[in-house]
């Protein structure tokens, strides 16, 4: 089956700059640049472009990636789960995927990255999987605890390998639980995708990488998981 390629039209996007708040727009994206040949699009959780995702971009920069973090909510950051749910339900997925594709294009064409990967968490994890099945630029995906609609975004159309990471105690059934991780693996087999890997971390639940939520954040596991993601991305973006 031929992959469905989004028609890219850069309309509006915000990106994170190290030591500078999210800024402005147009066809040029200001971005914190590290001296590395590989680009990485980093996608937010359902909370928005908050401090945790910015810290994660800094961590991935330290691994040697140029990172762009598009602000898919256009400056809105949820204060609680109810507001996060409203923001997520109101997200225009088509536009979000265009924002992601244009962020990847910026890394490749403007910042001259040899290849571009994607890393996302929760909502961003689901969007990472969706993006690699629709993008013609993104070459590897490292989603965390999130699965998109696999009937709409078929794994057989993936433009590169996928490493998906989950928490053993994740109770978000239908989205990121262990059952969903296993469903992702099974669907990959059924759709003929042989380059998808799943890693389930013991003793942690949903959002174990979220540094702004001490009740779920696990520093030791988060470090191991990001180490693994960075290793996977480096190997597959050569």
């Amino acid at each position: 089956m031929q992959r469905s390629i989004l028609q890219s039209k850069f309309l509006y996007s915000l990106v994170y700059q190290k030591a500078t708040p999210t800024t402005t727009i147009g066809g040029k994206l200001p971005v914190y640049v590290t001296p590395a040949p590989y680009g990485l699009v980093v996608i937010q959780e359902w909370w928005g472009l908050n401090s945790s995702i910015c810290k994660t971009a800094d961590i991935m920069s330290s691994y040697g990636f140029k990172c762009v973090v598009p602000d898919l909510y256009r400056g809105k950051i949820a204060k609680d789960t109810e507001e996060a749910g409203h923001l997520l339900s109101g997200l225009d997925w088509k536009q979000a995927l265009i924002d992601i594709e244009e962020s990847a294009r910026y890394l490749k064409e403007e910042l001259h990255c040899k290849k571009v990967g994607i890393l996302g968490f929760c909502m961003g994890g689901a969007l990472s999987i969706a993006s690699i099945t629709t993008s013609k630029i993104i070459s590897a995906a490292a989603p965390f605890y999130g699965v998109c609609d696999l009937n709409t975004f078929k794994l057989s159309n993936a433009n590169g390998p996928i490493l998906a990471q989950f928490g053993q105690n994740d109770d978000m059934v239908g989205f990121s639980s262990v059952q969903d991780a296993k469903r992702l693996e099974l669907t990959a087999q059924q759709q003929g995708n042989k380059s998808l890997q799943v890693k389930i971390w013991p003793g942690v639940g949903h959002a174990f990488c979220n540094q702004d939520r001490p009740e779920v954040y696990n520093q030791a596991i988060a470090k191991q998981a990001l180490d693994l993601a960075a290793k996977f991305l480096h190997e597959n973006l050569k």
Side-chain angles (χ1 to χ4, degrees):
M1 182 181 296
Q2 186 176 7
R3 288 188 299 115
S4 173
I5 302 298
L6 291 170
Q7 182 177 2
S8 297
K9 184 179 180 183
F10 188 83
L11 300 176
Y12 177 87
S13 190
L14 300 173
V15 296
Y16 171 66
Q17 289 180 289
K18 189 174 183 180
T20 306
T22 55
T23 72
T24 185
I25 321 317
K28 303 291 184 181
L29 298 178
V31 59
Y32 171 56
V33 179
T34 57
Y38 309 118
L40 186 65
V41 182
V42 181
I43 307 299
Q44 67 198 49
E45 295 184 330
W46 69 337
W47 303 101
L49 207 167
N50 59 11
S51 63
S52 178
I53 205 68
C54 292
K55 292 172 187 173
T56 301
D58 284 342
I59 291 170
M60 296 311 293
S61 291
S62 74
Y63 284 111
F65 296 97
K66 296 183 179 78
C67 296
V68 168
V69 189
D71 187 347
L72 304 181
Y73 288 166
R74 305 296 193 264
K76 296 177 182 177
I77 299 177
K79 298 179 179 66
D80 52 42
T81 56
E82 182 178 1
E83 188 176 0
H86 285 307
L87 289 172
L88 172 59
S89 63
L91 180 69
D92 181 341
W93 268 61
K94 182 178 179 180
Q95 183 58 52
L97 291 172
I98 290 173
D99 288 344
I100 292 167
E101 180 77 345
E102 287 305 301
S103 296
R105 186 184 305 281
Y106 175 75
L107 280 161
K108 191 161 188 179
E109 296 182 359
E110 298 293 327
L111 299 183
H112 309 295
C113 295
K114 292 180 180 178
K115 289 187 177 181
V116 177
I118 188 167
L119 176 83
F121 302 83
C122 182
M123 177 188 83
L127 281 166
S128 296
I129 296 173
S131 293
I132 201 165
T133 68
T134 58
S135 175
K136 57 184 177 182
I137 300 174
I138 295 169
S139 300
F144 281 71
Y145 35 81
V147 179
C148 61
D149 180 352
L150 299 176
N151 290 317
T152 300
F153 303 103
K154 293 187 180 296
L155 297 171
S156 55
N157 294 336
N159 193 44
I162 301 168
L163 170 63
Q165 301 190 61
F166 299 85
Q168 182 184 42
N169 300 334
D170 194 321
D171 59 2
M172 295 187 68
V173 176
F175 182 67
S176 57
S177 67
V178 170
Q179 297 97 303
D180 297 298
K182 293 179 178 178
R183 174 171 58 88
L184 181 65
E185 280 187 305
L186 179 60
T187 303
Q189 294 171 10
Q190 292 172 340
Q191 294 183 358
N193 183 316
K194 298 180 180 180
S195 61
L196 180 140
Q197 307 170 51
V198 168
K199 171 67 178 179
I200 299 174
W201 292 96
V204 292
H206 190 79
F208 63 84
C209 286
N210 190 324
Q211 300 172 68
D212 290 347
R213 298 183 60 201
E215 72 277 14
V216 294
Y217 177 56
N218 187 301
Q219 185 177 11
I221 297 297
K223 183 181 186 308
Q224 292 179 65
L226 290 176
D227 284 347
L228 182 62
K231 182 175 183 291
F232 165 81
L233 289 165
H234 274 296
E235 288 175 349
N236 290 285
L237 295 178
K238 290 179 179 178

